[in-house]
Amino acid sequence: MTHVVTRSCCGDASCVYACPVNCIHPTPDEPGFATAEMLYIDPASCVDCGACVSACPVGAIKHHTKLTDAELPFVAINEMFHAEPAPRPPQARTPVYERLRTGGATLRVAIVGAGPAGLYAADELLRHDDVQVTVVDRLPTPHGLVRSGVAPDHPDTKAVSALFAKIEELPGFAYSLGVDVGTDVSHEDLLRHVDAVIYATGASDDTRLGVPGEELPGSHPATSLVGWINGHPSHADASFDLSAERVVIIGNGNVALDIARILATDPERLTGTDISDQALRALRGSRVREIVIVARRGAAQAACTLPELTSLSRRDDLTVLVEGDLHLDEGTQRARRDGTIDPLLDHKISLLESLADRSAPDDDRPRIVFRFGLSPWEIEGARRVEGVRLGVNTLRVIDGRVTAEPTEEAITIDTSLVLRSVGYRGVPLRDLPFDPATGTVPHEDGRVRQSDPASPPVYVTGWIKRGPSGYIGTNKTDAQETIASLVADVNIGRVPLGSATREPLDSFLTRTLPGVVDLATWRAVERFERVRGAAARRSRRKVVDPELIAAVAERVSRPGGRPMRPQV
Ligand code: NAP
């Protein structure tokens, strides 16, 4: 055993291309890549060169001698993936791009959305000569879910910001932040200043449960709590009732685990992070002792990933338990009996079984309790949430999918706070087609399917293209596909180049709209946050208030302007 991929694997596959001996899988050209929970190093063929360590943008790869106790299970997890000798494709090569042919003209592109999807797309585009990119976002700060979605106690995952900072420095890159496309400017306005538009707007809405009581005070989408914890301006002033002992989370994906962990963690362990000031203050007054995570299907269908579950189960400051039946479906039971089950899924189920065997210790550590086979029927309460009524399910296979079927039986769990963690959802973009079933824009290889084939082509990447799945680095391979389509379209003349004779988009937006944040201002805001954070022994204290960002911007834009000094 030499190097090991650990929990924070972002899946961008940089390590795959850096590895000289083809020992990291699945590679982007293998079928399991799109659904893999992480990448895995084959201990038998790793030659210990460390090339993958340097390539990984989030520090997820470690030498086995440097693993912490909590990371030790990842030795077995890496090994397990490679246990079955599988035919491996030849060494994955960095994708070879079709060369962009602009005939000496400049291709100008607007990318709407400054999150990982938008920035990976900018990176892919700026590998070509004669390209200028303006990344526009409705928020005055960039980096999307890395800034406002990744849990503050996962600083390793947030380390991908350093990669984003490098992309921002590429020649031809510009930011116009604080501009809402659709409100402040239209798609047509953009097209007067650029040759092509790529939408990387993510999935900013939440999926609804559609049960009575969903709108009662005390019932919130998890996305709103995530935004509040991370100082997202739209959720900064939200408030959550943390006065009761028990919180119920519906859904057991990684977002559910993130919020359960944050609610259960002693706030003093979070003081060094970039958690929002408001959330830290509220958590210090929290009385929450138990977080129940409820899933409608069984342990084999748990949406959280093995790396996250493994890390959570190793926390010694929390009690993590499974209560009740694991609802193992027949197919899974059979596959376990005859040894055909995927070893990683088997490991995940065994881990949940071991949590079910744990008896609750007689101490006052906060508890995270998993429950399976329960669907929300009603969020109960007269004027605010008092409990949640859950129907007990059986599992049936319908059209090859294990599905929850209600029985007559139901239970009620008392609580005053219900967090609905049942997935993010894309919102329609003005003038673009939208599939309400998936919350995505229909496309072919990133080209938006348009009713009028004569319309100028439009592109999508990230969650608005593929739906809310995958990890930060998944957006890299996704962006590669979209940019390959755009380059091909330019080369065959489907994207006429002519915008370079007009005013650049970023200067047009700065000239016509108040408070547009450019790269220099973003850098000043970041510095301001880090200085303010250092004074409070925190990685950064985020600026949430747009007026404060405007004040920083004003200082930066003054001739000879010096960075603003924070009043801590
Ligand atoms: P998710 O993984 O899709 O999980 C959604 C959960 O909601 C599932 O348990 C699902 O159950 C349940 N659900 C959906 N509709 C429901 C309904 N009507 N009633 C009851 N339960 C329902 O979504 P997520 O947790 O929001 O995560 C989104 C993406 O971000 C995922 O790809 C995730 O891995 C990623 N993410 C990653 C990290 C990380 O790597 N640390 C952190 C956060 C998020 P069914 O399976 O039965 O549908």
Side-chain angles (χ1 to χ4, degrees):
M1 175 52 62
T2 46
H3 285 94
V4 179
V5 185
T6 61
R7 184 201 56 76
S8 58
C9 176
C10 73
D12 85 348
S14 304
C15 56
V16 168
Y17 302 119
C19 173
V21 294
N22 193 20
C23 77
I24 308 177
H25 293 269
T27 64
D29 42 8
E30 285 177 291
F33 181 77
T35 51
E37 295 187 345
M38 55 182 275
L39 306 181
Y40 309 86
I41 293 180
D42 179 7
S45 51
C46 172
V47 291
D48 201 12
C49 68
C52 52
V53 178
S54 318
C56 175
V58 292
I61 304 181
K62 297 196 173 171
H63 195 262
H64 71 277
T65 53
K66 294 197 174 148
L67 296 172
T68 62
D69 283 351
E71 289 165 340
L72 281 175
F74 287 92
V75 172
I77 290 173
N78 279 251
E79 259 171 2
M80 248 173 257
F81 180 83
H82 293 278
E84 290 286 316
R88 295 281 178 226
Q91 171 79 43
R93 289 181 194 278
T94 316
V96 179
Y97 301 100
E98 180 175 343
R99 191 160 166 262
L100 178 71
R101 292 190 298 275
T102 61
T106 299
L107 167 69
R108 284 186 177 164
V109 179
I111 298 178
V112 184
L119 289 171
Y120 276 119
D123 190 24
E124 294 301 322
L125 265 172
L126 292 168
R127 286 162 196 266
H128 299 274
D129 292 333
D130 304 319
V131 180
Q132 288 174 5
V133 172
T134 302
V135 179
V136 183
D137 201 293
R138 71 189 167 90
L139 290 185
T141 53
H143 300 180
L145 282 181
V146 169
R147 182 175 165 93
S148 61
V150 172
D153 61 344
H154 279 170
D156 41 7
T157 309
K158 287 182 189 252
V160 73
S161 300
L163 173 69
F164 296 161
K166 285 189 192 150
I167 297 170
E168 290 160 354
E169 293 301 329
L170 293 173
F173 183 97
Y175 268 143
S176 292
L177 306 172
V179 176
D180 192 340
V181 175
T183 307
D184 299 326
V185 284
S186 66
H187 180 71
E188 285 66 34
D189 291 333
L190 298 181
L191 278 176
R192 274 190 277 280
H193 299 270
V194 297
D195 305 302
V197 182
I198 302 172
Y199 285 92
T201 46
S204 53
D205 208 353
D206 60 285
T207 306
R208 315 291 298 171
L209 283 174
V211 299
E214 195 166 6
E215 304 301 333
L216 278 173
S219 159
H220 305 265
T223 49
S224 151
L225 188 100
V226 168
W228 174 71
I229 286 170
N230 279 299
H232 187 296
S234 309
H235 304 287
D237 298 328
S239 73
F240 299 88
D241 178 5
L242 304 178
S243 65
E245 288 214 347
R246 183 184 298 123
V247 174
V248 174
I249 302 177
I250 313 286
N252 67 1
N254 281 347
V255 168
L257 263 57
D258 279 350
I259 55 180
R261 231 181 31 248
I262 296 292
L263 290 174
T265 297
D266 178 347
E268 297 321 308
R269 283 177 67 139
L270 300 172
T271 50
T273 72
D274 68 352
I275 189 171
S276 81
D277 291 351
Q278 290 90 327
L280 189 58
R281 250 194 319 274
L283 288 170
R284 282 189 165 129
S286 166
R287 297 220 189 108
V288 173
R289 308 305 300 162
E290 180 177 88
I291 297 106
V292 184
I293 300 178
V294 174
R296 59 183 170 181
R297 299 191 290 158
Q301 291 77 38
C304 57
T305 57
L306 177 59
E308 291 300 332
L309 185 64
T310 301
S311 301
L312 180 67
S313 69
R314 304 280 294 188
R315 288 276 298 259
D316 54 14
D317 57 324
L318 311 174
T319 298
V320 183
L321 296 171
V322 173
E323 263 177 24
D325 192 69
L326 269 85
H327 286 256
L328 281 187
D329 56 286
E330 272 177 31
T332 301
Q333 293 187 38
R334 201 178 324 111
R336 291 186 100 192
R337 271 196 307 273
D338 60 23
T340 55
I341 191 163
D342 170 356
L344 289 164
L345 175 59
D346 193 33
H347 186 68
K348 186 171 173 182
I349 297 168
S350 302
L351 179 54
L352 287 165
E353 281 171 338
S354 73
L355 298 180
D357 290 341
R358 272 185 196 176
S359 46
D362 188 17
D363 60 27
D364 64 352
R365 281 181 294 172
R367 291 161 32 120
I368 295 179
V369 180
F370 287 91
R371 303 217 45 181
F372 293 98
L374 296 171
S375 281
W377 282 2
E378 181 174 1
I379 298 174
E380 297 177 328
R383 279 196 300 275
R384 52 165 304 112
V385 171
E386 291 167 23
V388 54
R389 184 103 180 122
L390 298 151
V392 178
N393 297 325
T394 57
L395 298 181
R396 269 187 55 200
V397 179
I398 300 177
D399 295 333
R401 185 176 195 265
V402 177
T403 308
E405 290 273 299
T407 65
E408 306 273 286
E409 209 186 321
I411 61 163
T412 297
I413 303 181
D414 294 335
T415 181
S416 56
L417 179 57
V418 172
L419 298 166
R420 309 178 316 256
S421 186
V422 293
Y424 287 84
R425 209 184 139 66
V427 292
L429 298 165
R430 190 179 287 180
D431 300 329
L432 291 193
F434 189 71
D435 177 357
T438 57
T440 58
V441 172
H443 70 94
E444 265 139 37
D445 299 335
R447 279 182 201 94
V448 174
R449 240 180 261 152
Q450 299 186 87
S451 47
D452 178 3
S455 317
V458 186
Y459 303 85
V460 280
T461 188
W463 278 4
I464 195 66
K465 172 186 174 191
R466 67 175 195 275
S469 66
Y471 313 97
I472 291 161
T474 315
N475 294 297
K476 186 180 170 84
T477 33
D478 197 347
Q480 282 166 346
E481 180 188 69
T482 296
I483 300 308
S485 297
L486 170 54
V487 167
D489 289 349
V490 173
N491 288 351
I492 59 166
R494 257 192 94 206
V495 177
L497 308 183
S499 71
T501 55
R502 284 170 245 136
E503 183 181 12
L505 178 62
D506 54 320
S507 65
F508 162 73
L509 294 172
T510 304
R511 185 172 59 73
T512 54
L513 294 169
V516 176
V517 172
D518 61 8
L519 178 58
T521 308
W522 162 238
R523 288 270 181 270
V525 170
E526 267 217 298
R527 260 195 312 276
F528 180 83
E529 291 184 337
R530 290 202 186 281
V531 172
R532 214 163 71 129
R537 298 217 173 102
R538 305 187 50 189
S539 56
R540 69 165 78 199
R541 273 181 68 207
K542 282 184 191 159
V543 177
V544 174
D545 179 4
E547 282 182 18
L548 190 46
I549 293 182
V552 176
E554 214 266 320
R555 285 291 283 260
V556 174
S557 59
R558 265 187 232 158
R562 292 214 316 273
M564 194 158 143
R565 290 255 296 270
Q567 311 289 311
V568 181

